[in-house]
């Protein structure tokens, strides 16, 4: 079917309900929540925009032909789209409960749950659904640390998801943050992260990619959180809080591949994509492609 026809599920995966019992390799859940953004809104529309763009990468049962290896990839991958969390409009605490509940339900059905934000605050309730994963590590690819205690009088904004997770989840052992930059860093947050032993890698230490990869966790259960503002906004402008001089697409894919090959990936989110700032539509396409690259890295390395 042509990519501009039919009803949009992620990569044209069969739609499944979290109210029913089934199992699959991977499942995609939208979290259309953006009232915790500190700047330009719109990420609530990202799950729908990414689904629509993903039809360009609709996955045939015979898989994708790979030019590099001359073989089919992701053959018979069982991918499901479970739709979006049904969120209240103005009850953030109830929203967090529903996000956690849906994330837990998806986790019980698939090997790799994939979450489409939403702003980055959604990673906190999602991570609460991973509170029983032994020795949990997080790899966060982001221009920002998101480890602030309180900003603009709230503890639950997109600046704080990993601070809240670190307080809440006794199984959360370590966070590696890659791509840090900008002039708005929070000194207290940096010190708090460092005192917990987190690995903080600013963009100016990322020229030598092999050296960066050697600092990634190894042999761990890893939750990977990808904030699209890690990308260079020149080619990925559709985000709330862009910072110049970010990652290329190729570098981001290499980091995801290295994280997935060295560890057991237990969950993945892509957050902060803001379709109303995507005048070319390219950002939605690149977001969908990055999720496809993640599936390739996990299921067909
Ligand atoms: Mn973030
Ligand atoms: Mn960010």
């Amino acid at each position: 079917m042509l990519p501009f026809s039919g009803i949009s599920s992620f990569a044209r995966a069969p739609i499944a309900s979290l109210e029913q019992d089934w199992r699959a390799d991977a499942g995609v859940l939208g979290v259309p929540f953006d009232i915790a953004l500190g700047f330009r809104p719109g990420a609530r529309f990202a799950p729908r925009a990414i689904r629509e763009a993903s039809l360009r990468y609709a996955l045939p049962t015979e898989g994708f032909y790979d030019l590099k290896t001359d073989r089919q990839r992701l053959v018979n991958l069982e991918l499901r789209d479970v739709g979006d969390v049904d969120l209240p409009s103005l009850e953030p605490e109830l929203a967090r409960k529903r996000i956690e509940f849906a994330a837990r339900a998806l986790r019980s059905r698939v090997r790799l749950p994939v979450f489409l934000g939403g702003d980055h605050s959604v990673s906190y309730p999602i991570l609460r659904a991973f509170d029983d994963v032994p020795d949990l590590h997080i790899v966060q690819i982001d221009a920002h640390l998101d480890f602030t205690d309180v900003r603009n009088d709230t503890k639950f904004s997109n600046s704080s998801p990993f601070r809240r997770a670190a307080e809440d989840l006794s199984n959360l052992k370590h966070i590696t943050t890659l791509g840090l930059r900008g002039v708005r860093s929070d000194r207290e947050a940096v010190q708090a992260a460092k005192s917990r032993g987190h690995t903080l890698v600013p963009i100016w230490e990322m020229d030598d990619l092999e050296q960066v990869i050697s600092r990634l966790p190894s042999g761990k259960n890893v939750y990977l959180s990808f904030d699209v503002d890690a990308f260079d906004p020149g080619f990925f402008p559709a985000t709330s809080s862009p910072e110049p001089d970010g990652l290329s697409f190729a570098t981001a894919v290499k980091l995801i591949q290295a994280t997935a090959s060295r560890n057991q990936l237990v969950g993945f989110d892509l957050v902060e994509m803001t379709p109303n700032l995507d005048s070319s539509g390219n950002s939605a396409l690149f977001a969908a492609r990055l999720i496809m690259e993640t599936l390739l890295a996990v299921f067909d390395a």
Side-chain angles (χ1 to χ4, degrees):
M1 191 183 274
L2 289 162
F4 42 82
S5 55
I7 295 164
S8 308
S9 64
F10 185 82
R12 236 185 262 294
I15 292 167
S17 166
L18 290 177
E19 282 162 25
Q20 283 157 4
D21 195 28
W22 47 270
R23 296 290 178 277
D25 296 319
V28 175
L29 173 69
V31 189
F33 180 90
D34 70 0
I35 63 173
L37 277 166
F39 196 32
R40 306 182 295 182
R44 68 182 66 179
F45 298 106
R48 183 161 288 179
I50 293 168
R51 280 193 182 94
E52 189 174 326
S54 75
L55 299 183
R56 178 106 171 97
Y57 310 105
L59 182 62
T61 47
E62 70 273 20
F64 295 122
Y65 170 68
D66 184 46
L67 181 65
K68 200 167 168 185
T69 56
D70 187 33
R71 64 182 182 87
Q72 300 297 121
R73 300 186 73 193
L74 292 181
V75 181
N76 294 323
L77 178 80
E78 294 215 338
L79 177 66
R80 299 287 180 270
D81 189 330
V82 299
D84 298 331
V85 184
D86 183 14
L87 294 169
S89 59
L90 274 177
E91 302 290 343
E93 203 176 326
L94 177 60
R96 286 195 294 278
K97 278 186 188 145
R98 288 195 186 165
I99 294 166
E100 178 185 344
F101 184 81
R104 218 176 270 282
L106 181 58
R107 252 197 82 199
S108 70
R109 285 163 178 76
V110 299
R111 180 177 144 200
L112 183 71
V114 174
F115 305 97
L116 311 178
D119 66 52
H120 217 158
S121 74
V122 303
S123 294
Y124 166 55
I126 291 169
L127 281 163
R128 283 174 57 100
F130 290 77
D131 60 358
D132 60 338
V133 174
D135 200 20
L136 180 66
H137 284 235
I138 293 172
V139 172
Q140 174 200 4
I141 305 180
D142 196 331
H144 313 100
L145 190 59
D146 297 352
F147 206 71
T148 289
D149 186 18
V150 179
R151 181 169 274 172
N152 303 322
D153 305 318
T154 175
K155 295 170 81 76
F156 298 99
S157 77
N158 64 342
S159 297
S160 304
F162 300 107
R163 185 67 164 264
R164 298 290 86 81
E167 288 171 349
D168 228 24
L169 277 75
S170 57
N171 61 323
L172 174 51
K173 288 296 177 303
H174 187 266
I175 304 178
T176 304
T177 309
L178 308 166
L180 291 165
R181 60 193 191 276
V183 294
R184 301 177 69 255
S185 295
D186 173 349
R187 179 196 293 266
E188 192 277 337
V190 171
Q191 284 170 346
K194 283 185 173 166
S195 74
R196 278 182 50 94
H198 294 179
T199 304
L200 275 52
V201 187
I203 199 87
W204 55 89
E205 289 178 14
M206 294 186 70
D207 286 341
D208 183 351
L209 209 56
E210 290 312 309
Q211 208 272 335
V212 176
I213 287 168
S214 73
R215 296 172 71 184
L216 289 171
S218 181
K220 305 295 183 189
N221 291 316
V222 170
Y223 181 92
L224 179 62
S225 187
F226 193 96
D227 181 332
V228 297
D229 66 32
F231 280 136
D232 191 277
F235 87 91
F236 198 109
T239 193
S240 171
S241 310
E243 306 286 355
D245 299 325
L247 302 180
S248 70
F249 192 83
T251 299
V253 170
K254 281 179 193 158
L255 292 172
I256 290 173
Q257 287 170 341
T259 303
S261 70
R262 291 159 63 96
N263 300 283
Q264 176 74 26
L265 216 61
V266 298
F268 172 73
D269 67 45
L270 182 138
V271 296
E272 299 275 330
M273 194 268 165
T274 310
N276 46 309
L277 301 169
D278 191 11
S279 58
S280 69
N282 284 355
S283 299
L285 282 166
F286 301 156
R289 170 79 190 278
L290 194 79
I291 294 162
M292 204 45 93
E293 295 286 351
T294 305
L295 295 174
L296 283 160
V298 172
F299 293 100
D300 200 347

